[in-house]
C-alpha cells in the first residue's frame, strides 16, 4: 500500500528536501538561551561570589582575593545552629507530610468512588494554588493568642494557644504548605498500582494490611520518593513560612541568606550560605537514602527467593 | 430450594478510619483559607482581632491606591511571565519529544536543576545579576521592575511548560505527524497543522499554570522588585512586619476567586481533550 | 526426574480438597443494572466448566463472586460444601488466574509464585521445593529469577498459572486468561491447560467470550446471556443441539433465515427449508444451517433445501475453503474441506443444498444476535 501510495507522489513532487529540516535542538534553543542567561549564569555568579569577601561597609562583594573563608564563616557555630535547625524542620516536616499524606492519598486513589476522585484532587489543589503567603497568614490568624481557636481552647479549659513565633508554628506552617505536593505524587503512585494486582494479592491469601505492605507500598515507591523530594527540597529553602509564623528569631537558613543580601549587604557571605544550603539539602537527601537502604536490607533479604538456573 | 441468603460483609474498620482521616486532611487543607475568607469580612482594624461583620475591608482595599497598584503590577507581570514561559516551554517541549538526541540529556538535566533549585537561591542570584547587566553593562530594560519580575517568575514556569508539552506529545503517536507528511505536508506545516493543535491543551494549561505560579511568586519578587513596581505578595510580606489589616484578606479573597476560576478553566480544557482524572492531576502538578 | 515429584504434588493437590461449587439463586446488581440474575449452577469436583458469553453477560461477575471480590446481593455460594458468602477472598481456598495476569512487577518469578505460600506460612524449608515444582509444572523453572515484566505474554501466562496452582486450590478460576495471547500461542495454551487440568483433577472454572476456547477445553459449557444461563451442556450438545437461536449464533457460525413455518417447512424470502420438526403453521421462526452442513455445486437446480445463488467470494482458510454466495437478500457462508471443494469461479451460478437433519429451527426473537460477522 505504501509503495502504491508513494510512487505517483514521487513522480509529481521533488524529492524531500533534507537541507530544510531544522537541526534537532533548534526549537529548544530559545529556552536554552533563556535559562543559561537567567539561571545558569546568575547561579554561577553566586558560586563565584561565595569565594569573595565584603571589602567595606558600602560595598557588597569583592572577588580580587578568592578563599574558602566565607564558608568557614557560614559554618561558624552561630550560623551552623541555624542550618541544623533548618535540617530539623526539613526532616521532621517531610516525615510529617509523608505520614499525613499517605493515608489520605491512598484513600483518594482506592476508596473514593472513581467519578468523585477528580473533585477530591481539585480540593487538594485549591490550597496549593492559593497564595502561599496568604494561607500562611491564615495560620497566623488561627494561632494568634487572641484568636478564635485560642478562645475555644480557653473555654474548654485547655489554656490559650502559645504556638505563634515558635518552631512548632513553623512546623505546622511548612507541613500545611507542602502537604499538597506530597499528596499528589502519592495519589498518582497509588492510582498506578492497579486494582487487579491488589485483588491478586488478596486472592493469594493476603489480608488488606499484608496487601498494602507487600504489594501496594513497594510498587508506590517511586511516587513516595518523588513526593519526599518535592516536599523536602523547597521546604529546606523556605523562609516565608518561618518569617510569618516563626517570629523574629530567624530560624531557617533561607532567612539567613536573605538577610545577608537584604540587610547585612554581605553578598559574599550570603552566597556562601546559599551554596551551603544547597549542599546540606543534597547531602542530607543522599544520607537519608543510604540509611533507608541499609535499614530495609533485612526485610529485602527475608523476602528474597533465588532458585538458580535451569534444572 | 434454599431460601435466598442475603448477607453482606461489614465495611472494614480500616476503610472507615481512612475516610475519617481523608476528610480531616481536607479540613486541615481548607482551614486557613476559610479563615482568610471569613476574616475578609472583619470590620475591625487588625486582621486577627474580630471587630464585627461588614464589608469595610473590601471598600478599604479597593480605595487603597497602593494595594490596587500592587495587584495590577502582579497581574501584568503574570501575563508577561506566562507568555514568555509558554512560548519558550512549548518550543522546548516539542523539541524534547520529537527531536530527541544527545542534547536532550543535558537539557533535561538543566530543566531538572531549575525545578529543584530552592527559590531563595534563584532570588539571591538574580539580584546581583540584574544589577550587573542593568547598570554596569547598560542593558537598561533590565532596570524596569516589570521586566525583572516577569523574567524572575518565568524560569520555573518555562521548565513546567516544557514538561507538560513533552509528556503530552510523548503520549501521542508520532505516526500522526508522519501521516501528515505522507499527505504532502511540509515539516513546517506538519508542525503547525498537526503537532501544535495536538499540544494545544498542554500549552493552554501550561499558560494558565504559569500565570497562577507567577501570581504566587513571592521570594524572587521580594529580591528583584524595584521601587514603584512592588508586586502584591511583596506588599503582603511587608505588612506582615508592619501589621496585618483586613484589607489584605479582602483582596486575597478576590484573588482566590479569580485563581479558582482560572483553575476550573484548566480542568475543563483538559477534560474536553479527553484526559482522565489522574492525567489531569499529573498535568496540573507537572509530573 | 523432577517429574515424579511434580506428579506427587499434583495428586496431593487433587486429594487435598473436594472442589465442588454450588451457586443457588445468586443475584448481583449494580445500581439498576442486573449483572447476574438468580443464577443456579452446580460445578462438580474436578470438572472443567466454561462460562461463555459476550461481554456484559455476567460471566466475569459470577467468577468474581466465587473468588470473593464481589458479594452477591442475594443467593448462596458454596465451595466444597461450605457457604462462602461473607468470606473475604484471602480466606477462600480458591485461586484466580487474572485476565492481564496481574503478576507483581516488583517481585521475581519465583517470588511471585511464593507469594501465596508465604501468606499461608508454609515453612521456609518447604517453600523453595514447592515453587520449583510449580514452575516445573509449567516448564518455567529456568526463568525463576527473572522479573515478570521481562517475559513474553505466554510466559507470563504460565507464571500466573503456577502462582495460582502452587497453593493447591480446591477450585481454580480463570478470567479470560488467554485473551491477551496471539492465536497460535492461544491454541497451544488451550491444549496445555486441558492436559494440566486432567492431570491435577482440580475444578477449573473458565470464563471466556471465545466459543472456540470453550469448545476445545470444557467438560461442560454454560452459555450465559443477560445474567442467566441460556444453556448448560457438554460441548457436543451445545454445538449440535443449541437450545436457542442465541446459543446457535454464539457457538460456531450460522446461516440464519427468518421466515414463517408451516409444518416442517420454513418459507423465508424465496428460500424453502424443510426441517425435521413440525411447527404450528404461521409461526415466525429463525432457521439456522451451519456453513459446513451446506454442499455447494456448480449449476442451477432450485428446490426444497436447495437454493440457487451467485458465488461472490472464495477464501482459503487452510484446512478448509470458505465460499460466500448471494441469493436474493441472503448472503450464505459455506465451508467445505479442501479436498472435496468444487472448482468454481466467483461470478458463477451455484446451487446450495443441505439435508433436513441440519436445519435447526428456533422461535424468532428480535433480541437474538444476527449472523456472526466473519471470524
Amino acid at each position: 500500500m505504501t509503495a502504491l501510495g508513494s510512487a505517483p507522489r514521487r513522480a509529481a513532487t521533488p524529492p524531500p528536501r533534507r537541507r530544510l529540516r531544522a537541526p534537532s535542538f533548534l526549537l529548544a534553543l530559545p529556552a536554552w538561551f533563556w535559562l543559561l542567561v537567567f539561571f545558569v549564569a546568575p547561579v554561577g555568579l553566586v558560586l563565584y561570589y561565595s569565594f569573595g569577601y565584603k571589602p567595606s561597609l558600602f560595598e557588597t562583594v569583592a572577588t580580587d582575593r578568592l578563599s574558602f573563608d566565607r564558608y568557614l564563616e557560614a559554618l561558624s557555630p552561630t550560623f551552623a545552629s541555624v542550618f541544623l535547625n533548618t535540617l530539623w524542620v526539613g526532616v521532621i516536616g517531610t516525615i510529617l507530610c509523608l505520614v499525613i499524606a499517605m493515608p489520605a492519598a491512598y484513600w483518594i486513589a482506592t476508596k473514593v468512588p472513581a467519578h468523585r476522585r477528580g473533585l477530591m484532587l481539585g480540593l487538594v489543589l485549591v490550597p496549593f494554588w492559593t497564595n502561599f503567603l496568604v494561607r500562611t497568614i491564615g495560620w497566623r490568624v488561627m494561632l494568634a493568642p487572641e484568636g478564635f481557636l485560642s478562645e475555644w481552647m480557653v473555654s474548654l479549659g485547655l489554656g490559650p494557644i502559645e504556638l505563634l513565633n515558635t518552631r512548632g508554628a513553623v512546623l505546622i506552617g511548612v507541613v500545611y504548605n507542602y502537604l499538597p505536593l506530597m499528596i499528589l505524587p502519592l495519589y498518582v503512585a497509588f492510582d498506578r498500582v492497579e486494582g487487579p494486582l491488589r485483588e491478586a494479592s488478596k486472592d493469594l491469601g493476603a489480608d488488606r494490611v499484608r496487601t498494602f505492605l507487600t504489594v501496594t507500598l513497594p510498587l508506590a515507591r517511586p511516587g513516595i520518593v518523588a513526593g519526599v523530594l518535592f516536599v523536602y527540597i523547597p521546604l529546606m529553602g523556605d523562609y516565608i513560612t518561618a518569617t510569618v509564623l516563626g517570629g523574629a528569631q530567624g530560624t531557617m537558613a533561607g532567612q539567613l541568606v536573605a538577610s545577608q543580601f537584604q540587610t547585612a549587604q554581605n553578598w559574599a557571605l550570603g552566597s556562601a550560605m546559599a551554596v551551603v544550603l544547597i549542599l546540606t539539602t543534597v547531602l542530607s537527601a543522599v544520607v537519608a537514602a543510604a540509611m533507608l537502604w541499609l535499614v530495609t536490607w533485612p526485610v529485602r533479604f527475608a523476602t528474597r527467593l533465588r532458585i538458580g538456573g535451569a534444572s | 430450594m434454599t431460601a435466598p441468603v442475603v448477607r453482606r460483609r461489614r465495611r472494614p474498620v480500616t476503610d472507615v478510619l481512612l475516610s475519617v482521616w481523608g476528610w480531616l486532611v481536607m479540613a486541615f487543607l481548607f482551614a486557613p483559607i476559610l479563615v482568610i475568607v471569613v476574616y475578609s469580612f472583619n470590620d475591625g482594624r487588625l486582621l486577627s482581632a474580630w471587630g464585627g461583620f461588614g464589608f469595610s475591608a473590601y471598600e478599604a482595599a479597593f480605595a487603597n491606591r497602593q494595594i490596587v497598584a500592587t495587584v495590577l503590577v502582579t497581574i501584568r507581570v503574570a501575563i508577561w511571565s506566562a507568555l514568555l514561559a509558554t512560548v519558550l516551554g512549548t518550543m522546548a517541549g516539542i523539541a524534547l519529544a520529537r527531536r530527541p538526541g544527545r542534547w536532550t540529556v543535558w537539557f533535561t538535566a538543566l530543566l531538572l536543576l531549575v525545578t529543584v533549585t530552592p527559590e531563595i537561591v534563584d532570588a539571591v542570584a538574580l539580584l546581583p545579576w540584574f544589577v550587573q547587566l542593568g547598570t554596569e553593562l547598560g542593558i537598561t530594560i533590565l532596570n524596569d521592575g516589570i521586566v525583572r519580575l516577569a523574567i524572575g517568575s518565568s524560569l520555573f514556569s518555562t521548565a513546567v511548560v516544557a514538561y507538560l508539552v513533552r509528556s503530552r506529545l510523548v503520549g501521542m503517536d508520532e505516526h500522526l505527524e508522519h501521516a501528515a507528511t505522507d499527505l504532502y505536508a511540509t515539516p513546517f506545516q506538519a508542525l503547525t497543522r498537526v503537532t501544535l493543535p495536538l499540544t494545544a491543551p498542554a500549552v493552554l494549561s501550561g499558560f494558565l499554570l504559569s500565570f497562577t505560579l507567577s501570581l504566587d511568586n513571592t521570594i524572587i519578587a521580594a529580591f528583584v522588585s524595584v521601587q514603584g513596581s512592588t508586586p502584591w505578595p511583596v506588599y503582603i510580606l511587608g505588612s506582615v512586619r508592619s501589621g496585618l489589616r483586613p484589607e489584605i484578606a479582602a483582596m486575597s479573597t478576590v484573588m482566590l476567586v479569580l485563581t479558582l476560576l482560572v483553575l476550573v478553566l484548566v480542568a475543563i480544557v483538559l477534560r474536553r481533550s479527553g484526559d482522565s482524572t489522574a492525567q489531569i492531576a499529573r498535568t496540573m502538578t507537572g509530573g | 526426574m523432577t517429574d515424579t515429584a511434580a506428579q506427587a504434588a499434583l495428586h496431593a493437590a487433587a486429594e487435598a480438597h473436594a472442589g465442588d461449587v454450588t451457586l443457588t439463586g445468586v443475584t448481583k446488581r449494580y445500581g439498576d443494572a442486573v449483572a447476574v440474575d438468580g443464577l443456579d449452577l452446580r460445578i462438580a469436583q474436578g470438572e472443567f466448566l466454561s462460562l461463555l458469553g459476550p461481554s456484559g453477560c455476567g460471566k466475569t461477575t459470577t467468577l468474581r463472586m466465587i473468588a470473593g471480590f464481589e458479594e452477591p446481593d442475594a443467593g448462596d455460594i458454596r465451595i466444597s460444601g461450605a457457604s462462602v458468602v461473607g468470606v473475604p477472598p484471602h480466606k477462600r481456598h480458591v485461586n484466580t488466574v487474572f485476565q492481564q495476569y496481574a503478576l507483581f512487577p516488583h517481585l521475581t518469578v519465583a517470588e511471585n509464585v511464593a507469594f501465596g505460600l508465604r501468606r499461608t506460612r508454609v515453612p521456609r524449608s518447604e517453600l523453595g521445593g514447592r515453587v520449583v515444582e510449580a514452575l516445573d509444572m509449567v516448564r518455567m523453572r529456568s526463568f525463576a529469577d527473572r522479573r515478570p515484566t521481562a517475559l513474553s505474554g505466554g510466559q507470563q501466562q504460565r507464571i500466573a498459572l503456577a502462582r495460582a496452582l502452587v497453593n493447591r486450590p480446591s477450585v481454580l478460576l480463570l478470567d479470560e486468561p488467554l485473551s491477551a495471547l496471539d492465536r497460535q500461542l492461544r491454541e497451544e495454551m488451550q491444549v496445555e491447560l486441558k492436559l494440566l487440568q486432567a492431570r491435577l483433577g482440580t475444578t477449573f472454572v473458565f470464563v471466556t467470550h471465545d466459543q472456540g476456547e470453550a469448545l476445545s477445553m470444557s467438560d461442560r459449557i454454560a452459555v450465559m446471556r443477560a445474567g442467566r444461563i441460556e444453556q448448560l451442556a457438554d460441548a457436543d450438545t451445545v454445538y449440535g443441539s443449541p437450545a436457542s437461536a442465541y446459543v446457535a449464533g454464539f457457538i460456531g457460525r450460522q446461516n440464519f433465515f427468518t421466515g414463517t413455518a408451516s409444518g416442517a417447512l420454513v418459507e423465508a424470502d424465496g428460500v424453502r427449508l424443510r426441517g425435521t420438526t413440525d411447527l404450528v403453521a404461521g409461526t415466525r421462526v429463525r432457521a439456522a444451517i451451519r456453513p459446513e452442513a451446506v454442499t455447494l455445486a456448480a449449476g442451477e437446480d432450485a428446490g426444497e433445501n436447495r437454493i440457487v445463488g451467485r458465488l461472490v467470494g472464495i477464501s482459503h482458510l487452510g484446512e478448509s475453503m470458505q465460499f460466500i454466495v448471494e441469493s436474493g437478500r441472503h448472503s450464505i457462508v459455506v465451508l467445505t474441506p479442501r479436498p472435496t471443494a468444487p472448482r468454481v469461479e466467483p461470478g458463477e451460478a451455484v446451487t446450495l443444498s443441505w439435508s433436513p437433519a441440519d436445519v435447526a429451527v428456533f422461535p424468532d426473537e428480535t433480541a437474538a444476535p444476527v449472523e456472526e460477522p466473519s471470524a
Side-chain angles (χ1 to χ4, degrees):
Chain A
M1 208 191 115
T2 348
L4 277 176
S6 59
R9 181 186 156 206
R10 203 167 293 141
T13 54
R17 288 165 296 178
R18 272 223 159 261
R19 67 205 148 81
L20 263 189
R21 201 181 161 88
S24 56
F25 52 85
L26 200 71
L27 273 175
L29 217 52
W32 266 115
F33 170 79
W34 196 253
L35 295 178
L36 282 180
V37 171
F38 292 112
F39 176 76
V40 176
V43 171
L45 195 66
V46 161
L47 193 63
Y48 180 57
Y49 282 169
S50 71
F51 298 107
Y53 63 99
K54 182 176 170 65
S56 71
L57 196 57
F58 301 106
E59 288 168 89
T60 51
V61 67
T63 49
D64 50 327
R65 276 185 291 111
L66 299 179
S67 69
F68 282 101
D69 293 352
R70 299 293 83 68
Y71 286 93
L72 292 178
E73 208 178 319
L75 291 172
S76 65
T78 31
F79 296 139
S81 72
V82 176
F83 279 107
L84 280 181
N85 183 65
T86 308
L87 207 56
W88 187 88
V89 172
V91 171
I92 304 288
T94 307
I95 291 174
L96 281 176
C97 273
L98 185 65
V99 169
I100 294 172
M102 186 110 72
Y106 184 76
W107 173 66
I108 298 174
T110 63
K111 305 294 174 193
V112 171
H115 63 276
R116 250 191 276 148
R117 275 175 212 156
L119 180 70
M120 283 299 169
L121 290 175
L123 291 181
V124 173
L125 280 164
V126 170
F128 187 32
W129 297 112
T130 315
N131 191 294
F132 193 94
L133 248 176
V134 173
R135 42 191 182 161
T136 314
I137 289 170
W139 278 105
R140 204 182 157 81
V141 173
M142 274 203 282
L143 296 178
E146 72 278 11
F148 67 96
L149 211 59
S150 194
E151 279 172 22
W152 289 352
M153 298 281 277
V154 171
S155 65
L156 285 172
L158 294 164
I161 300 176
E162 281 163 351
L163 266 175
L164 206 58
N165 301 339
T166 65
R167 203 155 68 162
V170 176
L171 206 54
I172 291 179
V174 293
V175 167
Y176 174 79
N177 275 328
Y178 297 106
L179 192 59
L181 285 175
M182 183 70 91
I183 293 181
L184 289 166
L186 284 183
Y187 164 79
V188 173
F190 287 136
D191 187 55
R192 269 185 204 163
V193 181
E194 299 154 26
L197 286 180
R198 284 197 300 272
E199 284 189 348
S201 167
K202 287 175 187 158
D203 187 69
L204 294 166
D207 57 21
R208 50 187 59 246
V209 177
R210 278 265 150 211
T211 299
F212 183 78
L213 291 178
T214 54
V215 176
T216 311
L217 208 54
L219 285 171
R221 203 174 51 188
I224 296 171
V225 171
V228 165
L229 290 179
F230 279 174
V231 168
Y232 184 67
I233 290 169
L235 209 170
M236 287 292 285
D238 181 34
Y239 84 99
I240 289 186
T241 314
T243 306
V244 176
L245 295 173
Q249 304 118 304
T251 46
M252 292 289 280
Q255 287 170 295
L256 215 54
V257 177
S259 72
Q260 287 305 320
F261 275 83
Q262 287 178 318
T263 44
Q265 294 286 319
N266 189 342
W267 289 7
L269 182 57
S271 299
M273 285 171 169
V275 175
V276 171
L277 173 62
I278 295 177
L279 289 179
T280 312
T281 309
V282 172
L283 286 180
S284 56
V286 170
V287 168
M291 272 165 56
L292 212 63
W293 190 84
L294 278 177
V295 167
T296 55
W297 190 78
V299 180
R300 272 177 289 131
F301 182 77
T303 53
R304 255 172 61 127
L305 180 66
R306 291 286 175 273
I307 300 299
S311 52
Chain B
M1 203 181 121
T2 9
V5 189
V6 184
R7 261 173 297 169
R8 222 174 268 208
R9 264 203 308 266
R10 268 185 314 123
R11 195 164 169 229
V13 187
T14 45
D15 280 17
V16 176
L17 288 178
L18 269 179
S19 59
V20 168
W21 185 264
W23 287 113
L24 279 178
V25 167
M26 291 291 172
F28 176 66
L29 287 175
F30 272 82
I33 295 169
L34 278 179
V35 164
I36 287 291
V37 172
V38 169
Y39 273 70
S40 71
F41 300 103
N42 180 4
D43 258 352
R45 276 191 43 78
L46 281 174
L47 178 64
S48 49
W50 184 256
F53 179 87
F55 295 91
S56 63
Y58 285 88
E59 287 162 26
F62 282 101
N64 185 329
R65 279 161 67 191
Q66 209 187 346
I67 288 182
V68 173
T70 58
V71 169
L72 289 179
V73 165
T74 297
I75 291 175
R76 277 168 69 199
V77 166
I79 291 172
W80 280 114
S81 154
L83 279 176
L84 270 171
T86 309
V87 171
L88 295 171
T90 302
M91 287 165 73
I94 291 177
L96 276 171
R98 290 296 188 250
R99 302 267 188 279
R102 211 180 300 160
W103 70 277
T104 37
V105 180
W106 294 100
F107 192 67
T108 313
L110 177 60
L111 291 182
L112 196 70
L113 215 57
V114 171
T115 35
V116 302
T117 304
E119 220 180 331
I120 180 73
V121 174
D122 289 340
V124 299
L126 279 172
L127 172 62
W129 187 245
F130 282 141
V131 172
Q132 193 98 23
L133 293 182
T135 52
E136 289 174 25
L137 287 178
I139 308 173
T140 49
I141 190 173
L142 292 179
N143 294 332
D144 183 81
I146 303 282
V147 173
R148 282 185 174 198
L149 290 167
I151 292 174
S153 57
S154 74
L155 301 172
F156 184 80
S157 305
T158 302
V160 168
V161 176
Y163 288 144
L164 289 182
V165 170
R166 183 190 156 275
S167 66
R168 178 156 188 103
L169 278 180
V170 162
M172 270 184 199
D173 212 328
E174 206 184 340
H175 289 124
L176 294 171
E177 279 114 306
H178 290 164
T181 46
D182 187 64
L183 296 166
Y184 321 121
T186 63
F188 180 73
Q189 285 170 328
L191 180 74
T192 53
R193 300 282 169 85
V194 179
T195 315
L196 274 180
L198 283 179
T199 352
V203 174
L204 186 54
S205 68
F207 177 85
L208 295 171
L209 282 186
S210 309
F211 186 83
T212 46
L213 280 174
S214 178
L215 290 184
D216 207 28
N217 188 321
T218 311
I219 301 185
I220 293 180
F223 277 81
V224 302
S225 67
V226 294
Q227 205 74 40
S229 61
T230 309
W232 171 238
V234 175
Y235 175 83
I236 307 178
L237 195 60
S239 27
V240 169
R241 299 193 179 104
S242 60
L244 288 162
R245 302 245 298 263
E247 288 99 289
I248 296 209
M251 189 51 85
S252 298
T253 306
V254 173
M255 301 273 282
L256 167 63
V257 171
L258 289 179
T259 314
L260 282 186
L261 286 178
V262 168
L263 266 177
V264 169
L265 209 62
V266 180
I268 291 173
V269 166
L270 288 178
R271 178 145 304 169
R272 278 269 173 82
S273 70
D275 280 11
S276 73
T277 330
Q279 279 172 311
I280 292 176
R282 237 169 279 157
T283 307
M284 298 256 233
T285 48
Chain C
M1 176 185 71
T2 46
D3 217 9
T4 45
Q7 213 80 50
L10 303 181
H11 287 304
E15 286 157 6
H17 291 273
D20 57 313
V21 182
T22 314
L23 290 87
T24 319
V26 170
T27 300
K28 178 73 188 176
R29 294 184 199 86
Y30 296 104
D32 290 338
V34 182
V36 176
D37 188 7
L39 194 82
D40 292 310
L41 178 62
R42 223 193 101 78
I43 305 165
Q45 181 193 341
E47 186 176 16
F48 195 128
L49 181 117
S50 290
L51 296 172
L52 173 67
S55 57
C57 72
K59 58 189 193 302
T60 297
T61 307
T62 306
L63 193 82
R64 289 173 60 81
M65 284 192 287
I66 300 173
F69 300 128
E70 309 279 352
E71 283 294 318
D73 293 320
D76 191 21
I77 299 174
R78 287 173 179 274
I79 297 173
S80 308
S83 173
V84 292
V85 176
V87 178
H90 67 271
K91 290 186 181 152
R92 296 190 186 193
H93 203 76
V94 298
N95 288 111
T96 309
V97 177
F98 291 84
Q99 190 168 10
Q100 300 296 330
Y101 319 133
L103 296 175
F104 304 120
H106 62 300
L107 301 178
T108 65
V109 164
E111 286 161 358
N112 260 284
V113 175
F115 191 95
L117 298 177
R118 283 195 164 129
R119 299 292 86 78
T120 49
R121 312 215 174 280
V122 169
R124 244 191 125 78
S125 53
E126 204 186 314
L127 197 72
R130 291 272 294 268
V131 170
V132 169
E133 267 169 36
L135 287 173
D136 276 335
M137 188 165 68
V138 294
R139 303 199 309 274
M140 286 297 289
R141 183 177 178 168
S142 51
F143 295 89
D145 297 331
R146 300 230 203 139
R147 297 266 166 183
T149 41
L151 303 180
S152 72
Q155 289 167 333
Q156 290 188 30
Q157 170 63 66
R158 291 206 175 106
I159 302 306
L161 204 56
R163 186 180 68 173
L165 285 174
V166 74
N167 305 295
R168 297 168 187 169
S170 39
V171 182
L172 184 74
L173 307 173
L174 303 103
D175 183 9
E176 308 226 7
L178 307 181
S179 60
L181 303 181
D182 61 49
R183 204 188 112 173
Q184 198 175 353
L185 207 53
R186 198 160 60 219
E187 283 169 2
E188 278 172 34
M189 283 303 294
Q190 286 173 16
V191 177
E192 232 169 285
L193 265 180
K194 183 66 196 167
L195 288 174
L196 202 59
Q197 196 262 344
R199 271 197 305 169
L200 290 169
T202 307
T203 311
F204 275 35
V205 183
F206 187 94
V207 159
T208 182
H209 65 270
D210 182 323
Q211 42 102 7
E213 255 169 49
L215 289 172
S216 71
M217 289 185 283
S218 321
D219 295 323
R220 283 194 302 163
I221 300 171
V223 184
M224 288 189 68
R225 177 193 194 183
R228 291 170 169 279
I229 291 176
E230 190 94 354
Q231 185 171 18
L232 175 62
D234 59 79
D236 200 42
T237 313
V238 169
Y239 189 88
S241 324
S244 65
Y246 173 83
V247 176
F250 201 80
I251 306 268
R253 299 174 64 191
Q254 294 282 8
N255 294 301
F256 277 111
F257 300 92
T258 308
T260 316
S262 57
L265 194 70
V266 178
E267 196 83 47
D269 268 330
V271 181
R272 296 165 73 210
L273 304 99
R274 181 169 291 278
T276 49
T277 42
D278 276 334
L279 287 149
V280 181
T283 326
R284 293 290 294 172
V285 293
R286 280 162 70 87
I289 305 158
R290 296 223 177 259
E292 65 270 23
V294 183
T295 310
L296 182 142
E300 297 184 48
D301 181 14
E304 240 174 47
N305 284 348
R306 305 177 79 84
I307 54 172
V308 171
R310 198 171 57 88
L311 184 64
V312 292
I314 302 177
S315 339
H316 297 262
L317 303 182
E319 65 269 37
S320 59
M321 305 269 289
Q322 173 182 285
F323 301 93
I324 312 281
V325 176
E326 275 185 354
S327 170
R329 281 181 50 242
H330 304 285
S331 173
I332 300 141
V333 181
V334 181
L335 273 178
T336 310
R338 206 178 162 74
T340 59
R343 293 192 183 282
V344 281
E345 293 291 327
E348 263 183 56
V350 291
T351 300
L352 306 177
S353 58
W354 54 85
S355 81
D358 291 321
V359 179
V361 183
F362 308 101
D364 184 25
E365 289 177 72
T366 36
V370 204
E371 185 187 347
E372 231 195 326
S374 60

